[in-house]
């Protein structure tokens, strides 16, 4: 899902679970639960865009995520806890970025037969969480995302 959706859920987790370490673990778990619901994000059709464009969208999404988290939750849970829990909620996606940035390209879906060890590690780290990743197209994939965030907000209120 988008970083902003993950951060919105991280915020309610941080608000309802005062212990930052526990909240961070739950935020990481929430990432995988959310990504298993069919959704659209900036990674969905990345092969149809330039990697630079996808990178810029991802950075903009991450900045939005932190901005929204700070506006909504920093006053309630504190700047440091909300930063840690938001980072935790985004961590699974950051672990995937070396594969995207360094190795993947439009026509390449997996390491070639002569790939080096770093490329194979980057691919494995990318592939494991992606087993959970369910995709849906825009705009349906946006609605499922809003519904998921709303579900967590109601659940954790
Ligand atoms: Zn993800």
């Amino acid at each position: 899902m988008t970083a902003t959706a993950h951060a919105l859920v991280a915020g309610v987790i941080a608000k309802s679970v005062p212990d930052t370490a526990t909240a961070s673990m739950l935020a990481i778990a929430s990432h995988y639960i959310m990504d298993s619901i069919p959704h659209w994000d900036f990674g969905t059709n990345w092969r149809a865009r330039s990697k630079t464009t996808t990178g810029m969208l991802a950075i903009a999404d991450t900045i939005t995520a932190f901005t929204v988290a700070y506006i909504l939750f920093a006053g309630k849970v504190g700047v440091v806890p909300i930063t840690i829990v938001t980072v935790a909620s985004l961590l699974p996606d950051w672990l995937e970025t070396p594969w995207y940035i360094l190795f993947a390209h439009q026509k390449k879906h997996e390491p070639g037969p002569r790939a080096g060890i770093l490329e194979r590690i980057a691919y494995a780290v990318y592939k494991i969480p992606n087993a959970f990743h369910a995709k849906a197209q825009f705009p349906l994939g946006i609605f499922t995302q809003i519904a998921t965030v709303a579900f967590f907000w109601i659940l954790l209120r």
Side-chain angles (χ1 to χ4, degrees), residues 60-73:
D61 185 26
T62 307
I63 293 170
T64 309
F66 278 98
T67 306
V68 167
Y70 287 136
I71 291 171
L72 294 176
F73 299 101

Side-chain angles (χ1 to χ4, degrees), residues 1 5 39 139-153:
M1 294 205 168
H39 63 278
L140 175 69
I142 288 287
F143 291 126
T144 57
Q145 198 149 184
I146 293 168
T148 308
V149 172
F151 170 78
F152 275 95
W153 277 48

Side-chain angles (χ1 to χ4, degrees), residues 3 9 11 14 21 35 37 40 43 52-53 57 64-65 69 88 103 116 126-127 132 140 145 150 156-157:
V9 170
D35 273 1
I37 293 156
W40 172 92
T52 315
T53 307
L57 289 169
T64 309
F103 302 111
Y126 153 81
K127 197 68 195 170
F132 297 93
L140 175 69
Q145 198 149 184
L156 296 168
R157 272 192 100 76

Side-chain angles (χ1 to χ4, degrees), residues 1 6 31 35 93 96 133:
M1 294 205 168
H6 286 300
H31 189 110
D35 273 1
D93 281 344
E96 294 177 22
H133 214 135

